[in-house]
Amino acid sequence: MRDYKKLEVWSKAHHLYLYIKKDIAVKFPKEERYELASQLQRAALSVPLNIAESCGRYTDKDFAHFLDNALGSLNETDYCCFAASELMSQELCSSLF
């Protein structure tokens, strides 16, 4: 079994989630907090969770499968950020990202 805490990719994903949770999501307009901000947080959290889950798997095939899921969640996180930049004012976006 692998130790996910030793993986640089997990560390980066963990810090990305913390940044989104503490610094980005709280700045969303009230009308977006329960939709886009919530989805952004869930997608960002899913990245390190899938990496951690992959480390608990015993076969390389299962390990790769959960890393692939983490990549999908990272793409979802990216899209949420893109959608936010399209929906919100330029001034608010520059303060977020």
Side-chain angles (χ1 to χ4, degrees), residues 19-30 33 88 92 95-96:
Y19 174 68
I20 287 172
K21 179 79 173 171
K22 293 178 180 179
D23 297 327
I24 300 293
V26 296
K27 295 179 183 174
F28 272 61
K30 192 173 188 175
R33 289 218 178 119
M88 296 178 203
L92 179 60
S95 74
L96 291 176

Side-chain angles (χ1 to χ4, degrees), residues 10-28 37 40-41 44-45 48 77 81 92-97:
W10 174 84
S11 179
K12 288 182 177 194
H14 173 68
H15 287 101
L16 174 65
Y17 169 69
L18 294 177
Y19 174 68
I20 287 172
K21 179 79 173 171
K22 293 178 180 179
D23 297 327
I24 300 293
V26 296
K27 295 179 183 174
F28 272 61
L40 173 60
Q41 290 177 81
L45 177 59
T77 301
C81 291
L92 179 60
C93 282
S94 62
S95 74
L96 291 176
F97 308 109

Side-chain angles (χ1 to χ4, degrees), residues 48-59:
L49 285 175
N50 273 293
I51 294 168
E53 188 168 357
S54 74
C55 290
R57 302 301 172 151
Y58 292 103
T59 68

